[in-house]
């Protein structure tokens, strides 16, 4: 190990390998204009930061919102999207404890994942086990972390309760199916088409509802839902809301259908319903110990074979446009991951 400009750097990489202007990144220069792959300057890690050689970056629906400036945490232009990544720590800034150069890690980056390297706050970094591939790790934190914290900490899902998951073959929906089943719930999966429903069934869903069906009636025929985990919004939310049992809890996780639902407060009162907002990035700031505990628990489930991320597409950085289109057109199931290293 050597010291370079005040911070530790790996012996087997020269400083220019990470920080010289030779790192490719997928750059958003203007909103609603196609991003470009460009060479960018890579900053040195400052106090409380680490530099990571990025091997894989998981894509999320939020990345599409970032490209248009509609995400709640959209950074100033220009920027590199990519909310979660996996790689190897190559340098450490001052006042970083518990991490070492060479550690294999997953990072909830918020931005910067679609690049060959980056500098990130150390408190966003989690070690990953040797048996976890970089592709799996890049597909892990947001989808599984959202599912477990939302269902366990927020909604208090109980064994034998009925969980309805909409968009059940998508990145966050599919993990909610897995986690709900792992927690002992009866899981109803809602998705479009036989192929996506089969993916949800393989993840543990007990009942399947195609998007072409009357969602409200189909759920009521199954006894109603105690907890709703909705990633679609719009008319799907309205139908799920009306099919929720008295005393039920609803989680509006996302609005992939494009319409943010309005919630009739009078119906909440009559049926004693609870609508619980949850945003993973926000919880990292307000409840970091809850998130850290959830990630540790999830990694334990991964190690014992209880969880296996479903990644439908793995593409290189120069095919990021095509990868994002898979999300936009809803042709992907589970996660789409971009690889940065061979």
């Amino acid at each position: 190990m050597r010291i370079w400009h005040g911070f530790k750097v790996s012996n087997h990489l020269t400083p220019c390998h990470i920080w010289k202007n030779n790192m490719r990144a997928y750059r958003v220069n203007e909103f609603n204009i196609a991003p470009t792959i460009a060479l960018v300057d890579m900053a040195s890690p400052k106090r409380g930061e680490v530099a990571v050689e990025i091997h894989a970056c998981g894509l999320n629906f939020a990345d599409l919102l970032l490209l248009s400036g509609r995400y709640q945490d959209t950074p100033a232009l220009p920027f590199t999207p990519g909310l979660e990544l996996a790689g190897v720590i190559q340098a450490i800034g001052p006042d970083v404890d518990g991490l070492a150069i060479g550690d294999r890690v997953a990072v909830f980056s918020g931005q910067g994942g679609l690049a060959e390297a980056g500098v990130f706050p150390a408190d966003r970094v989690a070690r990953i086990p040797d048996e976890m591939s970089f592709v799996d790790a890049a597909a892990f934190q947001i989808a599984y972390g959202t599912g477990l914290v939302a269902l366990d900490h927020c909604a208090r899902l109980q064994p034998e309760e009925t969980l309805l998951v909409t968009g059940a073959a998508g990145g966050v929906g599919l993990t909610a199916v897995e986690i709900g089943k792992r927690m002992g719930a009866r899981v109803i999966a809602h998705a479009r088409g036989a192929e996506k429903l089969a993916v949800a069934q393989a993840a543990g869903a007990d009942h399947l509802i195609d998007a072409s069906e009357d969602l409200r009636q189909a759920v009521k025929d199954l006894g109603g839902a105690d907890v709703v985990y909705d990633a679609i919004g719009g008319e799907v939310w309205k139908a799920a809301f009306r099919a929720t049992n008295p005393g039920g809890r609803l989680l509006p996780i996302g609005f992939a259908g494009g319409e943010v639902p309005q919630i009739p407060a009078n119906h909440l009162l009559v049926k004693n319903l609870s609508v619980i907002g949850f945003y993973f990035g926000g919880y990292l700031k307000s409840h970091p110990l809850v998130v850290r505990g959830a990630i540790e628990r999830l990694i334990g489930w991964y190690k014992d074979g209880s969880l296996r991320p479903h990644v439908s597409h793995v593409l290189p950085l120069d095919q990021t446009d095509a990868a994002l289109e898979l999300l936009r057109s809803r042709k992907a199931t589970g996660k789409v991951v971009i690889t940065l290293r061979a």
Side-chain angles (χ1 to χ4, degrees), residues 11 18 56 90 103 120 123 134 158 168 180 185 205 208 250 272 297 303 305:
N11 280 327
I18 296 178
Q90 298 294 352
D103 280 350
F120 308 101
D123 60 8
F134 289 119
Q158 299 299 308
L208 308 174
L250 299 99
N272 293 304
R297 186 177 173 190
K303 291 173 71 173

Side-chain angles (χ1 to χ4, degrees), residues 84-85 106-108 124 126 137-146 280 295:
E84 58 181 332
L85 61 96
V107 184
F108 176 75
R124 297 289 188 95
F140 197 80
Q141 283 198 100
I142 292 178
Y144 282 108
T146 296
F280 185 75
I295 295 299

Side-chain angles (χ1 to χ4, degrees), residues 210-230:
D210 192 272
S212 62
E213 299 179 51
D214 182 333
L215 176 60
R216 178 195 180 195
Q217 190 59 52
V219 173
K220 289 179 74 69
D221 288 346
L222 291 169
D226 300 306
V227 174
V228 171
Y229 187 95
D230 176 47

Side-chain angles (χ1 to χ4, degrees), residues 61 114 118 195 249 279:
F61 186 79
L114 288 169
E195 181 181 352
R249 292 86 74 201
Y279 164 49

Side-chain angles (χ1 to χ4, degrees), residues 317-333:
L317 181 65
D318 59 9
Q319 294 184 36
T320 301
D321 288 341
L324 288 167
E325 182 57 32
L326 290 169
L327 297 185
R328 186 180 290 109
S329 63
R330 302 188 195 178
K331 292 181 179 178
T333 57

